[in-house]
């Protein structure tokens, strides 16, 4: 079922990593480093990296700009998915979704449950599509980033993964725009 077809070529994607934090810097951003390390090890390209504070306008501005960049295929965010007052990443990004990926959250929580039990309930991990760009909103812990990458993203962002993957439908994510329909994001 999780077959990787070796006869298909690997297609590297351009992936941006956004850390949402009031306290982290590039020097101590372990979650961002985890994602960058894993995407590069898989053969993908780091297209951009930034850290923004836990503020809706700052998060949204970066995601909107990156989603407009034709050289970015995927955006990974880390941080701000909990329940505290400063955790606002889902509120910043979900209104931008043209299509919501409900299954991502379900699978992420199943994987997380096996590792941290009911504590997985404290994450509001989510995903969707913004302007033909995949956006994955991950918790801020390195462990959660490892779980999301190793358990979901590594396979789904690999064109060789069968029976299907996100890469093979990437060119079709903006069909509605090419048909003349408009969206307001």
């Amino acid at each position: 079922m999780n077959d990787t077809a070796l006869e298909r070529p690997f297609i590297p994607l351009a992936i941006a990593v956004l850390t949402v934090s009031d306290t982290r810097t590039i020097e101590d951003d372990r979650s961002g480093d985890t994602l960058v390390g894993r995407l590069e090890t898989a053969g993908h390209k780091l297209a951009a990296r930034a850290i923004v504070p836990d503020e809706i306008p700052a998060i949204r501005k970066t995601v909107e700009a990156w989603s407009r960049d034709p050289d970015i295929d995927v955006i990974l965010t880390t941080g701000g998915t909990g329940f505290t007052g400063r955790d606002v990443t889902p509120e910043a990004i979900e209104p931008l979704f043209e299509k919501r990926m409900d299954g991502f959250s379900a699978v992420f929580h199943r994987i997380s449950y096996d590792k941290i039990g009911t504590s997985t309930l404290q994450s509001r991990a989510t995903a969707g599509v913004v302007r033909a760009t995949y956006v994955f909103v991950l918790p801020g812990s390195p462990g959660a980033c490892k779980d999301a990458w190793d358990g979901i993203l590594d396979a789904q962002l690999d064109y060789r993964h069968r029976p299907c993957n996100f890469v093979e439908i990437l060119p079709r994510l903006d069909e509605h725009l090419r048909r003349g329909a408009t969206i307001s994001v």
Side-chain angles (χ1 to χ4, degrees), residues 79-153:
T81 64
F83 288 98
T84 72
R86 297 293 292 161
D87 291 323
V88 296
T89 306
E91 288 80 6
I93 297 175
E94 285 180 336
L96 303 176
F97 288 164
E98 297 161 28
K99 306 261 181 176
R100 187 180 168 102
M101 193 183 305
D102 295 324
F104 176 81
S105 180
V107 173
F108 174 80
H109 284 294
R110 188 201 57 76
I111 292 167
S112 184
Y113 182 82
D114 290 344
K115 301 210 173 159
I116 63 170
T118 58
S119 293
T120 190
L121 296 173
Q122 294 187 34
S123 169
R124 296 180 299 140
T126 187
V129 175
V130 178
R131 288 189 183 89
T133 304
Y134 293 114
V135 180
F136 298 93
V137 179
L138 310 177
S141 76
C145 291
K146 288 175 189 175
D147 292 346
W149 184 270
D150 297 349
I152 304 169
L153 299 174

Side-chain angles (χ1 to χ4, degrees), residues 9-83:
F10 178 77
I11 298 174
L13 299 177
I15 303 175
V17 175
L18 177 65
T19 299
V20 178
S21 175
D22 290 331
T23 59
R24 292 188 190 156
T25 65
I26 287 292
E27 291 77 32
D28 66 2
D29 179 18
R30 292 179 41 233
S31 296
D33 289 345
T34 296
L35 292 170
V36 170
R38 276 172 159 64
L39 75 88
E40 288 179 339
T41 297
H44 299 292
K45 173 189 160 208
L46 178 63
R49 184 172 180 184
I51 297 177
V52 298
D54 291 279
E55 297 172 2
I56 289 174
I59 299 164
R60 193 171 287 166
K61 178 181 176 183
T62 303
V63 170
E64 285 181 322
W66 286 352
S67 72
R68 286 186 179 95
D69 185 335
D71 294 325
I72 295 177
D73 302 308
V74 178
I75 299 169
L76 306 176
T77 75
T78 175
T81 64
F83 288 98

